[in-house]
Amino acid sequence: MDIAYLLSATRSARKSLDLSAPVDLADIRDCLQIGLQAANGSNQQNWRWLVVTDHALREEIAQLFREAYLRRVGGQFLAGLLPAGTPEARLMSSTEWLVEHLARIPALVIPCYQPYLPRIDGDESFHLATLYGSIFPAVWNFQLALHTRGYGTCITTLHLHHETAVGELLGIPSTYVQGCLLPVGRLRAGHTFHPAPRVPVEQVVTLDRWTGPPI
């Protein structure tokens, strides 16, 4: 796969996932092996990755995911309430499809990371940047590797509203932070991604200062 295409056209996959196609755990392992080549804080590699395929566990996680979504949006699905065909309606339709079908997606991957630096007063920004900066490069590597093998996924975080419950369900030690949840499945036959519309770089990048000239 062309590198420029891979980097610019690896999109969040929800409705494009084939729920009837099994995943090959060897493929997921190989993609994680690539993911784990990513940079991480002080090269501590304080990560653990859970690949959840058990149906009963996926059902329980999906129920918590649904509860969290309805809590966030006020207790009802929103896609049908938005003007049809708008970007907002399409996004909500895709999101709510995932809420309804999460338990049927063959594999749920949860990356976890154990903070390795002691906390000091006033270090919240530093702590969060170090923590998530040590896991999300590997998450992105994993997503890219999946795309090259005909799989798709997306980064989701709704389950973190029930992080303790999910941790107890899966036996995750309390010293580890769950970074996100990645529902992994094969892409539907014939589905291809394309680069998404993005704000022009000159509108979001400046030189030297916030009010500096664009580059």
Side-chain angles (χ1 to χ4, degrees):
M1 186 178 290
D2 176 76
I3 293 177
Y5 170 80
L6 176 66
L7 293 174
S8 60
T10 297
R11 308 253 65 85
S12 293
R14 300 181 186 92
K15 288 185 176 181
S16 55
L17 299 178
D18 185 346
L19 299 179
S20 64
V23 300
D24 187 335
L25 287 178
D27 286 337
I28 293 181
R29 183 193 60 225
D30 290 346
C31 291
L32 283 170
Q33 194 163 20
I34 292 171
L36 299 185
Q37 287 294 319
N40 61 97
S42 299
N43 197 31
Q44 291 293 305
Q45 303 179 60
N46 281 7
W47 44 37
R48 286 287 298 271
W49 298 68
L50 277 71
V51 180
V52 183
T53 60
D54 180 84
H55 180 71
L57 292 175
R58 287 185 286 127
E59 287 275 6
E60 292 195 54
I61 294 170
Q63 181 58 39
L64 294 170
F65 192 88
R66 179 187 175 90
E67 291 174 6
Y69 176 75
L70 293 175
R71 174 185 173 192
R72 291 291 300 183
V73 301
Q76 62 180 331
F77 279 20
L78 302 180
L81 305 178
L82 298 171
T86 62
E88 294 78 11
R90 289 194 294 270
L91 176 60
M92 295 308 298
S93 175
S94 178
T95 299
E96 291 177 353
W97 182 94
L98 183 63
V99 173
E100 289 289 77
H101 295 88
L102 186 67
R104 297 179 58 198
I105 296 174
L108 306 179
V109 178
I110 301 178
C112 304
Y113 205 82
Q114 185 176 47
Y116 62 93
L117 292 172
R119 298 294 305 274
I120 61 175
D121 290 342
D123 75 341
E124 185 68 17
S125 294
F126 172 83
H127 171 72
L128 292 175
T130 301
L131 172 63
Y132 293 108
S134 293
I135 192 66
F136 275 97
V139 168
W140 181 234
N141 268 16
F142 177 54
Q143 290 182 272
L144 293 172
L146 287 171
H147 190 185
T148 66
R149 290 160 172 76
Y151 292 88
T153 188
C154 63
I155 294 174
T156 66
T157 54
L158 278 170
H159 84 290
L160 295 176
H161 284 284
H162 298 290
E163 182 177 13
T164 300
V166 172
E168 292 175 352
L169 177 68
L170 302 178
I172 300 171
S174 61
T175 55
Y176 280 79
V177 174
Q178 298 171 48
C180 62
L181 185 149
L182 300 151
V184 177
R186 292 188 184 274
L187 295 171
R188 287 188 282 103
H191 181 85
T192 56
F193 289 118
H194 303 283
R198 288 292 186 259
V199 176
V201 66
E202 60 269 16
Q203 293 185 22
V204 295
V205 179
T206 55
L207 185 65
D208 292 332
R209 298 183 183 278
W210 187 269
T211 56
I215 63 171

